[in-house]
Amino acid sequence: MKKTLLGIFLFSVLLEPCLRPVHAAAESRRSLLLMWWNAENLFDTRNDPPPGDDEFTPSGRKGWTDKKLVLKQLRIRRVLETIQTSPDYGRYPDILAFAETENRGVFAASLAKTGTASHKILYYESPDPRGIDIGLAYNPRSVRLTSSKAYRVPIDNDKPTRHVIVAGFSAAGHPFHVMLNHWPSRSFDREWSERKRIAAAKVARHIADSLRSADTKADIVIMGDFNDEPENRSLRQFLGSSSDAEKVRSACASLLYNCWSGYSGIGSYSYRNRWEQIDQILLSCGMLDKKGLSVPDRPFRCFCFPDMLQISGKRPYSTYYKGKFKGGYSDHLPLLLKVTLESD
């Protein structure tokens, strides 16, 4: 009995950063909730040409069946419902983006039985031969889509990677942009693959610079799985990630505020039992003022609840682990960002 109680106590201690509440102030202004999540291999069970998805079929190496897909979708539903019932949020995300979705159909079907079923979908097919895309859904009652475009990431003599996607929105008359990223992985060797992430960073920076050239204080939210951490060269040197809000305010044309700055919770991904911050949300200087869209105190959170972590608390409870089916949520944790709509 003592061992059991000790185990429960240690588990709760390990999970404390995950469970720490946001302590949001009472709402006196309108707000929006944005979500980013690498949902880990959200595939349907069909064998589609070309052969990139073969392993995620009933007869493939992963044995991906309808039953496993339904379990995966139930996991997604529970995460969204937990956000909606959380006292810190009390709503479904107004804008949500999932990485690693195979196609629009499975993305839409995974949201169909959730409180986001009425969200509209923006979807661009990725050139990634495995069919790993980024799916975006938004609530038409709170935001209006005004534009969108997918940008190719040029990588010479290698397999194509995911597009960088930018979507323009308007909320209560305030325009803003959301940029979505899923940069090349660190497979084989981080330094060898760094050039690919730098190529993606240059594309993302070009988009941000174009938006800021039209309006230096444009409201821009950049979300993604960057497969690098905030202090790596691709983020810091090429995209302009900064942990200093004052520097961002004084260098609107070149820097972006990284929301991990000062965050005391766990990271979104675990490698060799070390929490990493490879999923990130970055903000333009326009998001740091009190005009249009802005961020309140402590607007950012890496969201989880106990079931989303392994019992050790050292990594997410993933769908697959070392090639074996585990039936968990994802190998990444989602990120949430709450923004306020300021009155003119």
Side-chain angles (χ1 to χ4, degrees), residues 227-287:
N227 275 304
D228 267 340
E229 296 195 84
E231 293 304 315
N232 290 137
R233 282 205 313 155
S234 61
L235 272 298
R236 177 177 46 80
Q237 179 179 340
F238 290 91
L239 185 56
S241 171
S242 172
S243 61
D244 189 326
E246 289 306 315
K247 284 186 178 179
V248 174
R249 289 188 181 99
S250 63
C252 283
S254 58
L255 294 182
L256 298 160
Y257 180 70
N258 198 305
C259 289
W260 282 107
S261 176
Y263 188 78
S264 59
I266 58 178
S268 64
Y269 183 78
S270 178
Y271 180 67
R272 295 180 178 175
N273 289 328
R274 173 188 171 268
W275 285 106
E276 297 185 335
Q277 299 173 342
I278 62 174
D279 298 279
Q280 295 162 58
I281 297 180
L282 301 97
L283 306 175
S284 66
C285 79
M287 298 290 297

Coordinates of all heavy atoms in Angstrom, one line a residue, residues 227-287:
N227 N 11.0 21.2 -35.8 CA 12.1 20.2 -35.7 C 13.4 20.8 -35.3 O 14.5 20.2 -35.5 CB 12.2 19.3 -37.0 CG 11.2 18.2 -37.0 OD1 11.2 17.4 -36.0 ND2 10.4 18.1 -38.0
D228 N 13.4 22.0 -34.8 CA 14.5 22.7 -34.2 C 13.9 23.4 -33.0 O 12.7 23.7 -32.9 CB 15.2 23.7 -35.1 CG 16.3 23.0 -35.9 OD1 16.9 22.0 -35.4 OD2 16.7 23.6 -36.9
E229 N 14.8 23.7 -32.0 CA 14.4 24.5 -30.8 C 14.6 26.0 -31.0 O 15.3 26.4 -31.9 CB 15.1 23.9 -29.6 CG 14.7 22.4 -29.4 CD 15.1 21.9 -28.0 OE1 14.3 22.2 -27.0 OE2 16.2 21.3 -27.9
P230 N 14.1 26.8 -30.1 CA 14.1 28.2 -30.3 C 15.5 28.8 -30.5 O 15.7 29.8 -31.2 CB 13.5 28.7 -29.0 CG 12.5 27.7 -28.6 CD 13.2 26.4 -29.0
E231 N 16.5 28.2 -29.9 CA 17.9 28.8 -30.0 C 18.7 28.2 -31.1 O 19.9 28.6 -31.3 CB 18.7 28.6 -28.7 CG 18.1 29.4 -27.5 CD 18.0 30.9 -27.8 OE1 19.0 31.4 -28.4 OE2 17.0 31.5 -27.5
N232 N 18.1 27.3 -31.9 CA 18.8 26.7 -33.0 C 18.9 27.8 -34.2 O 18.1 28.7 -34.3 CB 18.2 25.4 -33.5 CG 18.4 24.3 -32.6 OD1 17.4 23.5 -32.3 ND2 19.5 24.1 -32.0
R233 N 19.9 27.6 -35.0 CA 20.2 28.6 -36.1 C 19.0 28.9 -37.0 O 18.7 30.0 -37.3 CB 21.3 28.2 -36.9 CG 22.7 28.4 -36.3 CD 23.8 28.5 -37.4 NE 23.7 27.5 -38.4 CZ 24.1 27.7 -39.7 NH1 24.7 28.8 -40.0 NH2 24.0 26.7 -40.6
S234 N 18.3 27.9 -37.4 CA 17.1 28.0 -38.3 C 16.1 29.0 -37.7 O 15.6 29.9 -38.4 CB 16.5 26.7 -38.6 OG 16.0 26.1 -37.4
L235 N 15.8 28.9 -36.4 CA 14.8 29.8 -35.8 C 15.4 31.1 -35.4 O 14.9 32.2 -35.7 CB 14.3 29.1 -34.5 CG 13.1 28.2 -34.6 CD1 11.9 28.9 -35.1 CD2 13.4 27.0 -35.4
R236 N 16.6 31.1 -34.7 CA 17.1 32.3 -34.2 C 17.7 33.2 -35.3 O 17.4 34.4 -35.4 CB 18.2 32.0 -33.2 CG 18.9 33.2 -32.6 CD 20.0 32.8 -31.5 NE 20.8 31.6 -32.0 CZ 21.8 31.7 -32.8 NH1 22.2 32.9 -33.2 NH2 22.5 30.7 -33.1
Q237 N 18.6 32.7 -36.2 CA 19.3 33.5 -37.1 C 18.5 33.7 -38.4 O 18.4 34.9 -38.9 CB 20.6 32.8 -37.5 CG 21.4 33.5 -38.5 CD 22.7 32.8 -38.8 OE1 23.2 32.0 -38.0 NE2 23.3 33.1 -40.0
F238 N 17.7 32.7 -38.9 CA 17.1 32.9 -40.2 C 15.6 33.3 -40.1 O 15.2 34.1 -40.9 CB 17.2 31.6 -41.0 CG 18.6 31.3 -41.4 CD1 19.5 30.5 -40.6 CD2 19.1 31.8 -42.6 CE1 20.8 30.3 -41.0 CE2 20.4 31.6 -43.0 CZ 21.3 30.8 -42.2
L239 N 14.9 32.8 -39.1 CA 13.5 33.2 -39.0 C 13.4 34.5 -38.1 O 12.5 35.3 -38.3 CB 12.6 32.1 -38.4 CG 11.1 32.4 -38.3 CD1 10.6 32.8 -39.7 CD2 10.4 31.2 -37.7
G240 N 14.3 34.7 -37.2 CA 14.3 35.8 -36.3 C 13.6 35.6 -35.0 O 13.1 36.6 -34.4
S241 N 13.7 34.4 -34.4 CA 13.1 34.1 -33.1 C 13.8 34.8 -32.0 O 15.0 34.8 -32.0 CB 13.1 32.6 -32.9 OG 12.7 32.2 -31.6
S242 N 13.1 35.4 -31.1 CA 13.7 36.1 -30.0 C 12.9 35.8 -28.7 O 11.6 35.7 -28.7 CB 13.7 37.6 -30.2 OG 14.2 38.3 -29.0
S243 N 13.5 35.7 -27.6 CA 12.9 35.5 -26.3 C 12.7 36.8 -25.6 O 12.2 36.8 -24.4 CB 13.7 34.5 -25.4 OG 15.0 35.1 -25.2
D244 N 13.1 37.9 -26.2 CA 13.0 39.2 -25.5 C 11.9 40.1 -26.2 O 12.1 40.6 -27.3 CB 14.4 39.9 -25.7 CG 14.5 41.2 -24.9 OD1 13.5 41.9 -24.7 OD2 15.6 41.5 -24.4
A245 N 10.8 40.2 -25.5 CA 9.7 41.0 -26.0 C 10.1 42.4 -26.3 O 9.6 43.0 -27.4 CB 8.5 40.9 -25.1
E246 N 10.9 43.1 -25.5 CA 11.3 44.4 -25.8 C 12.1 44.6 -27.0 O 11.9 45.5 -27.8 CB 12.0 45.0 -24.6 CG 11.2 45.2 -23.4 CD 9.9 46.1 -23.7 OE1 10.1 47.1 -24.4 OE2 8.8 45.8 -23.2
K247 N 13.0 43.6 -27.3 CA 13.8 43.7 -28.5 C 12.9 43.5 -29.7 O 13.1 44.1 -30.8 CB 14.8 42.6 -28.5 CG 16.0 42.9 -27.6 CD 17.1 41.8 -27.8 CE 18.3 42.1 -26.9 NZ 19.4 41.1 -27.0
V248 N 11.9 42.6 -29.6 CA 10.9 42.4 -30.7 C 10.2 43.7 -31.0 O 10.0 44.1 -32.1 CB 10.0 41.3 -30.4 CG1 8.9 41.2 -31.5 CG2 10.7 40.0 -30.3
R249 N 9.7 44.4 -29.9 CA 9.0 45.7 -30.1 C 9.8 46.7 -30.8 O 9.3 47.6 -31.5 CB 8.5 46.2 -28.8 CG 7.4 45.4 -28.1 CD 6.8 46.1 -26.9 NE 5.8 45.3 -26.3 CZ 5.9 44.5 -25.2 NH1 7.2 44.4 -24.7 NH2 4.9 43.8 -24.7
S250 N 11.1 46.7 -30.6 CA 12.0 47.7 -31.2 C 12.6 47.3 -32.5 O 13.3 48.1 -33.2 CB 13.1 48.1 -30.2 OG 14.0 46.9 -29.9
A251 N 12.3 46.1 -32.9 CA 12.8 45.6 -34.2 C 11.7 44.8 -34.9 O 11.8 43.7 -35.3 CB 14.0 44.6 -34.0
C252 N 10.6 45.6 -35.2 CA 9.4 45.0 -35.8 C 9.7 44.3 -37.1 O 9.0 43.4 -37.5 CB 8.3 46.1 -35.9 SG 7.5 46.5 -34.4
A253 N 10.6 44.9 -37.9 CA 10.8 44.4 -39.2 C 11.6 43.1 -39.3 O 11.7 42.5 -40.4 CB 11.5 45.5 -40.1
S254 N 12.2 42.7 -38.2 CA 13.2 41.6 -38.2 C 13.0 40.5 -37.2 O 13.4 39.3 -37.4 CB 14.6 42.1 -38.2 OG 14.8 42.8 -36.9
L255 N 12.4 40.8 -36.0 CA 12.3 39.8 -35.0 C 10.9 39.3 -34.7 O 9.9 40.0 -35.0 CB 12.9 40.4 -33.7 CG 14.4 40.7 -33.7 CD1 14.8 41.2 -32.3 CD2 15.2 39.5 -34.1
L256 N 10.8 38.1 -34.1 CA 9.5 37.5 -33.7 C 9.6 37.0 -32.3 O 10.6 36.5 -31.9 CB 9.1 36.3 -34.7 CG 8.9 36.7 -36.1 CD1 9.1 35.4 -37.0 CD2 7.6 37.3 -36.4
Y257 N 8.6 37.2 -31.6 CA 8.6 36.8 -30.2 C 8.2 35.3 -30.0 O 7.2 34.9 -30.5 CB 7.6 37.6 -29.3 CG 7.6 37.2 -27.9 CD1 8.7 37.5 -27.0 CD2 6.5 36.6 -27.3 CE1 8.7 37.1 -25.7 CE2 6.5 36.2 -26.0 CZ 7.6 36.5 -25.2 OH 7.6 36.1 -23.9
N258 N 9.1 34.5 -29.4 CA 8.9 33.1 -29.2 C 8.1 32.9 -27.9 O 8.6 33.3 -26.8 CB 10.2 32.3 -29.2 CG 9.9 30.9 -29.5 OD1 9.2 30.2 -28.8 ND2 10.6 30.3 -30.5
C259 N 6.9 32.3 -28.0 CA 6.1 32.1 -26.8 C 6.6 31.2 -25.8 O 6.1 31.2 -24.6 CB 4.7 31.7 -27.3 SG 3.8 33.0 -28.1
W260 N 7.7 30.4 -26.1 CA 8.3 29.6 -25.0 C 9.0 30.4 -24.0 O 9.4 29.9 -23.0 CB 9.2 28.5 -25.7 CG 8.5 27.3 -26.3 CD1 8.4 27.1 -27.6 CD2 7.9 26.2 -25.6 NE1 7.8 25.9 -27.8 CE2 7.4 25.4 -26.6 CE3 7.7 25.9 -24.3 CZ2 6.8 24.2 -26.3 CZ3 7.0 24.8 -23.9 CH2 6.6 23.9 -24.9
S261 N 9.3 31.6 -24.3 CA 10.1 32.5 -23.5 C 9.5 32.6 -22.1 O 8.3 33.0 -21.9 CB 10.2 33.9 -24.1 OG 10.9 34.8 -23.2
G262 N 10.2 32.2 -21.1 CA 9.7 32.3 -19.7 C 8.8 31.2 -19.3 O 8.3 31.2 -18.1
Y263 N 8.5 30.2 -20.2 CA 7.5 29.2 -19.9 C 8.1 28.2 -18.9 O 9.2 27.7 -19.2 CB 7.0 28.5 -21.2 CG 5.9 27.6 -21.0 CD1 4.6 28.1 -20.8 CD2 6.1 26.2 -20.9 CE1 3.5 27.2 -20.6 CE2 5.0 25.3 -20.8 CZ 3.7 25.8 -20.6 OH 2.7 25.0 -20.4
S264 N 7.4 27.8 -17.9 CA 8.0 26.9 -16.9 C 7.5 25.4 -17.0 O 8.0 24.6 -16.2 CB 7.7 27.4 -15.5 OG 6.3 27.5 -15.3
G265 N 6.6 25.2 -17.9 CA 6.1 23.8 -18.0 C 7.0 22.9 -18.9 O 8.1 23.3 -19.3
I266 N 6.5 21.7 -19.2 CA 7.3 20.8 -20.0 C 7.2 21.1 -21.4 O 6.4 22.0 -21.8 CB 6.8 19.3 -19.8 CG1 5.3 19.2 -20.2 CG2 7.0 18.9 -18.4 CD1 4.7 17.8 -20.1
G267 N 8.1 20.5 -22.3 CA 8.1 20.8 -23.7 C 7.1 20.0 -24.4 O 6.3 19.2 -23.8
S268 N 7.0 20.1 -25.7 CA 6.0 19.4 -26.5 C 6.4 18.1 -27.0 O 5.6 17.3 -27.5 CB 5.6 20.3 -27.7 OG 6.7 20.5 -28.6
Y269 N 7.7 17.8 -26.9 CA 8.2 16.5 -27.5 C 9.3 16.0 -26.7 O 10.0 16.8 -26.0 CB 8.7 16.8 -29.0 CG 9.2 15.6 -29.7 CD1 8.3 14.7 -30.3 CD2 10.6 15.4 -29.9 CE1 8.8 13.6 -31.0 CE2 11.0 14.3 -30.6 CZ 10.1 13.4 -31.1 OH 10.6 12.3 -31.8
S270 N 9.5 14.7 -26.6 CA 10.6 14.2 -25.8 C 11.5 13.3 -26.6 O 11.0 12.4 -27.3 CB 9.9 13.3 -24.6 OG 10.9 12.8 -23.8
Y271 N 12.8 13.5 -26.5 CA 13.8 12.7 -27.2 C 14.8 12.2 -26.1 O 15.4 13.0 -25.4 CB 14.5 13.6 -28.3 CG 15.5 12.8 -29.0 CD1 15.2 11.8 -29.9 CD2 16.9 13.1 -28.9 CE1 16.1 11.1 -30.6 CE2 17.8 12.5 -29.6 CZ 17.5 11.4 -30.4 OH 18.4 10.7 -31.1
R272 N 14.9 10.9 -26.0 CA 15.7 10.3 -25.0 C 15.5 10.9 -23.6 O 16.4 11.2 -22.9 CB 17.2 10.5 -25.4 CG 17.6 9.7 -26.7 CD 19.0 9.9 -27.1 NE 19.3 9.2 -28.3 CZ 20.5 9.2 -28.9 NH1 21.5 10.0 -28.4 NH2 20.7 8.5 -30.0
N273 N 14.2 10.9 -23.3 CA 13.7 11.4 -22.0 C 14.0 12.8 -21.7 O 14.1 13.2 -20.5 CB 14.2 10.5 -20.9 CG 13.5 9.1 -20.9 OD1 12.3 9.0 -21.3 ND2 14.2 8.1 -20.6
R274 N 14.3 13.6 -22.7 CA 14.6 15.0 -22.5 C 13.5 15.8 -23.2 O 13.3 15.6 -24.4 CB 15.9 15.5 -23.1 CG 16.2 17.0 -23.1 CD 17.4 17.4 -23.8 NE 17.5 18.8 -23.9 CZ 17.1 19.5 -25.0 NH1 16.5 18.8 -26.0 NH2 17.2 20.8 -25.1
W275 N 12.8 16.7 -22.5 CA 11.7 17.5 -23.1 C 12.3 18.5 -24.1 O 13.2 19.2 -23.7 CB 10.8 18.1 -22.1 CG 9.9 17.2 -21.4 CD1 10.0 16.6 -20.1 CD2 8.7 16.6 -22.0 NE1 9.0 15.8 -19.9 CE2 8.2 15.7 -21.0 CE3 8.1 16.7 -23.2 CZ2 7.0 15.0 -21.2 CZ3 6.9 16.0 -23.4 CH2 6.4 15.1 -22.4
E276 N 11.7 18.6 -25.3 CA 12.2 19.6 -26.3 C 11.1 20.5 -26.6 O 9.9 20.2 -26.5 CB 12.7 18.8 -27.5 CG 13.9 18.0 -27.3 CD 14.5 17.4 -28.5 OE1 13.7 17.2 -29.5 OE2 15.7 17.0 -28.5
Q277 N 11.5 21.7 -27.2 CA 10.5 22.7 -27.6 C 10.5 22.9 -29.1 O 10.7 24.0 -29.6 CB 10.8 24.0 -26.9 CG 10.8 23.9 -25.4 CD 11.3 25.2 -24.7 OE1 12.0 26.0 -25.3 NE2 10.9 25.3 -23.4
I278 N 10.3 21.8 -29.8 CA 10.4 21.8 -31.3 C 9.1 22.3 -31.9 O 9.1 22.8 -33.0 CB 10.8 20.5 -31.9 CG1 9.8 19.4 -31.6 CG2 12.2 20.1 -31.4 CD1 10.2 18.1 -32.4
D279 N 8.0 22.2 -31.2 CA 6.7 22.8 -31.6 C 6.7 24.2 -31.0 O 7.0 24.4 -29.8 CB 5.5 22.0 -31.1 CG 5.5 20.6 -31.7 OD1 5.0 20.5 -32.9 OD2 5.9 19.7 -31.0
Q280 N 6.4 25.2 -31.8 CA 6.5 26.6 -31.3 C 5.4 27.5 -31.9 O 4.8 27.2 -32.9 CB 7.9 27.2 -31.7 CG 9.1 26.4 -31.1 CD 10.4 26.7 -31.7 OE1 10.8 27.8 -31.9 NE2 11.0 25.6 -32.2
I281 N 5.2 28.6 -31.2 CA 4.3 29.6 -31.7 C 5.1 30.9 -31.5 O 5.6 31.2 -30.4 CB 3.0 29.7 -30.9 CG1 2.2 28.4 -31.1 CG2 2.2 30.9 -31.3 CD1 0.8 28.4 -30.3
L282 N 5.2 31.7 -32.6 CA 5.9 32.9 -32.6 C 5.0 34.1 -33.0 O 4.1 33.8 -33.8 CB 7.1 32.9 -33.6 CG 8.2 31.8 -33.3 CD1 7.9 30.6 -34.1 CD2 9.6 32.3 -33.5
L283 N 5.3 35.3 -32.5 CA 4.4 36.4 -32.7 C 5.1 37.6 -33.3 O 6.2 37.9 -32.9 CB 3.7 36.8 -31.4 CG 3.0 35.7 -30.6 CD1 2.5 36.3 -29.3 CD2 1.8 35.2 -31.4
S284 N 4.5 38.3 -34.2 CA 5.0 39.5 -34.7 C 4.9 40.6 -33.6 O 4.1 40.5 -32.7 CB 4.3 40.0 -36.0 OG 2.9 40.3 -35.6
C285 N 5.6 41.7 -33.8 CA 5.6 42.8 -32.8 C 4.2 43.4 -32.7 O 3.8 43.9 -31.7 CB 6.6 43.9 -33.1 SG 6.1 45.0 -34.4
G286 N 3.4 43.3 -33.8 CA 2.0 43.8 -33.8 C 1.1 43.1 -32.8 O 0.2 43.7 -32.3
M287 N 1.5 41.8 -32.4 CA 0.7 41.1 -31.4 C 1.1 41.5 -30.0 O 0.4 41.1 -29.1 CB 1.0 39.6 -31.6 CG 0.6 39.0 -33.0 SD -1.2 38.9 -33.1 CE -1.7 37.8 -31.8

